Amino acid sequence: MLSRKGLIPEDYLLTRLAEDVLQPIKFKASSRKARFVSKSGTCNVAHTNIREQGRFLQDVFTTLVDLKWLHTLIIFTMSFLCSWLLFGMVWWLVAFAHGDLDHHTRGGGAAADFVPCVTDIRSFSSAFLFSIEVQVTIGFGGRMVTEECVSAIAILIVQNIVGLVINAVMLGCIFMKTAQANRRAETLIFSKHAVISVRRGKLCFMIRIGDLRKSMIISATVRMQVVRRTTTPEGEVVPLDQVDISLDNPVGTNGIFLVSPLVICHVIDRHSPLYELSASDLQNEEDLEVVVVLEGVVETTGITTQARTSYVADEILWGQRFVPTVSEEDGMYAVDYSKFGNTVKVQTPFCSAKTLDQVGGLVQFKLHAGATQRGSVRRRKQPGGLNKPSTS
């Protein structure tokens, strides 16, 4: 693991790198529902009771690409062996039907006048070797097809076509497996924790994303969804209700220019599913999960890639914000990835965004809180209060 070797700081996570050490639960040690998307981006969904298994065979190429490397290599090896054995049997039958095997067994004076279909085929072993030579285009000079048998020429053409198809499928699968988009997503990173704090007078949900490679992700977009268990007014229980949440982007879209690490911000307003969430509710929340999806086109290959992660309630820090990672040095901007996941505490109200809107915003909330605090101080200083001197 790269993080164990010290090559990658431990304050951020590779999108495909599973965590080896479980993070301690911050608020309470209680069982919670299963994650919909893991920190490494894999979806925690098991497909069971699929009755139409034949649909996978209708798209054999995608099925082979989705298989594990070991299974793919075993399938290709068996494909070559089976084709070699099959055509080796065919060549042996051709030689047997034409009498090539009997001619080599008898010998005799008519050897100079006899023309076999395939030269130097004396047994099934030699027929199998000739099948390999034909399919992989290896010519050792001993065995070859003559013009004596039209069937032998037709079989030669068919085996060449079958060999080309197997080679094309094999090379295509190997190329697609080695150049899969999820390999590029290994260097797209997310912060391990999300934060909730005040930005521009609004309560915001924020995460940080970055790209470790210099080659850019073109047309990169970020989407967020809240996945939680909900119940409709009709009484229907939706175990995985996915609700899109908007992002604060001045451009008006979810597109980003991912040259340096960016803090992705979601303003918690009345349209947000986090509108009624407070700090105390976050501590007791067990069904909340925020899924983040980063998509884009790889600049070097042109393949669309996608990186995913999620944040549950235990991984959301209330009243903190990310520290800056970009600094200007010698006329260039330098990114310090050791600070990628670092956060600092900031003054943040513990109430929900709905409560803030009810009192008139953050400014009115501070004035109200200050007046309440001054009133409590005056009450403590009045006679009979807490500051009344004691008499013996």
Side-chain angles (χ1 to χ4, degrees):
M1 305 296 285
L2 298 177
S3 59
R4 292 179 179 175
K5 298 179 181 180
L7 300 179
I8 296 178
E10 296 182 353
D11 54 356
Y12 62 88
L13 174 71
L14 293 182
T15 58
R16 295 286 185 264
L17 190 60
E19 298 183 17
D20 296 328
V21 181
L22 296 178
Q23 296 295 327
I25 298 177
K26 298 180 179 303
F27 299 110
K28 58 179 181 178
S30 61
S31 60
R32 62 176 309 277
K33 76 178 185 70
R35 303 180 75 117
F36 182 56
V37 177
S38 66
K39 295 295 290 183
S40 60
T42 57
C43 296
N44 189 21
V45 178
H47 300 277
T48 59
N49 298 327
I50 300 178
R51 299 180 180 179
E52 299 182 4
Q53 298 287 346
R55 291 180 177 269
F56 295 98
L57 298 179
Q58 295 178 1
D59 188 5
V60 180
F61 184 79
T62 304
T63 303
L64 292 175
V65 174
D66 290 339
L67 291 176
K68 296 181 179 179
W69 270 105
L70 179 61
H71 297 164
T72 303
L73 294 178
I74 290 176
I75 290 175
F76 283 136
T77 302
M78 294 304 298
S79 299
F80 279 114
L81 288 177
C82 291
S83 63
W84 293 340
L85 288 172
L86 175 62
F87 283 99
M89 179 63 69
V90 173
W91 289 116
W92 183 82
L93 291 176
V94 170
F96 177 78
H98 190 257
D100 298 350
L101 302 180
D102 296 336
H103 169 72
H104 286 291
T105 302
R106 293 192 306 264
D113 299 332
F114 183 81
V115 179
C117 292
V118 181
T119 60
D120 290 342
I121 290 185
R122 300 179 176 86
S123 62
F124 178 76
S125 299
S126 57
F128 178 70
L129 290 175
F130 179 71
S131 175
I132 297 176
E133 294 176 13
V134 170
Q135 191 160 330
V136 299
T137 64
I138 296 177
F140 294 113
R143 287 172 286 269
M144 64 179 180
V145 178
T146 64
E147 67 275 9
E148 180 69 17
C149 302
V150 179
S151 59
I153 299 175
I155 294 171
L156 178 66
I157 296 173
V158 172
Q159 186 174 5
N160 279 321
I161 294 174
V162 172
L164 290 175
V165 171
I166 295 177
N167 288 333
V169 174
M170 182 189 68
L171 293 176
C173 287
I174 292 178
F175 173 76
M176 292 302 298
K177 290 181 73 66
T178 53
Q180 278 183 344
N182 56 3
R183 305 302 177 188
R184 178 60 176 88
E186 294 282 357
T187 50
L188 298 176
I189 57 177
F190 298 90
S191 58
K192 284 187 177 181
H193 297 91
V195 297
I196 294 179
S197 60
V198 176
R199 172 182 274 194
R200 298 185 179 94
K202 298 288 185 179
L203 204 61
C204 299
F205 175 89
M206 293 174 286
I207 65 167
R208 176 175 276 169
I209 61 176
D211 188 3
L212 298 179
R213 291 187 182 273
K214 290 186 177 180
S215 59
M216 294 177 53
I217 298 295
I218 305 174
S219 302
T221 59
V222 179
R223 294 184 290 110
M224 284 190 188
Q225 288 183 340
V226 172
V227 180
R228 67 198 320 174
R229 180 187 181 94
T230 59
T231 303
T232 62
E234 295 79 13
E236 179 185 1
V237 178
V238 183
L240 293 175
D241 188 15
Q242 303 180 29
V243 181
D244 289 332
I245 58 179
S246 59
L247 302 179
D248 183 19
N249 194 335
V251 180
T253 63
N254 294 339
I256 58 175
F257 188 47
L258 193 58
V259 178
S260 62
L262 298 177
V263 175
I264 305 301
C265 176
H266 161 63
V267 178
I268 305 177
D269 53 13
R270 64 178 181 272
H271 302 293
S272 172
L274 307 177
Y275 188 54
E276 300 180 0
L277 184 68
S278 63
S280 58
D281 296 335
L282 182 63
Q283 296 180 9
N284 300 321
E285 184 68 46
E286 294 182 357
D287 292 331
L288 177 65
E289 182 176 356
V290 180
V291 178
V292 183
V293 180
L294 172 61
E295 293 181 313
V297 179
V298 182
E299 184 180 22
T300 54
T301 61
I303 300 176
T304 302
T305 185
Q306 184 182 95
R308 301 176 296 269
T309 191
S310 68
Y311 300 91
V312 295
D314 298 338
E315 298 164 347
I316 301 175
L317 306 179
W318 192 286
Q320 298 195 31
R321 68 183 177 193
F322 294 104
V323 300
T325 58
V326 181
S327 60
E328 187 175 358
E329 298 178 0
D330 299 331
M332 295 183 62
Y333 291 99
V335 180
D336 187 2
Y337 279 98
S338 64
K339 302 177 182 179
F340 186 84
N342 294 355
T343 59
V344 293
K345 292 184 179 181
V346 293
Q347 186 177 2
T348 305
F350 291 96
C351 63
S352 62
K354 181 179 180 180
T355 304
L356 285 178
D357 290 344
Q358 289 175 352
V359 300
L362 183 62
V363 177
Q364 295 296 330
F365 179 82
K366 291 181 178 180
L367 294 176
H368 177 72
T372 303
Q373 184 178 6
R374 289 192 297 270
S376 62
V377 172
R378 286 197 298 269
R379 284 194 298 270
R380 286 197 301 267
K381 291 183 178 181
Q382 289 178 356
L386 296 177
N387 291 344
K388 182 179 179 181
S390 61
T391 58
S392 57

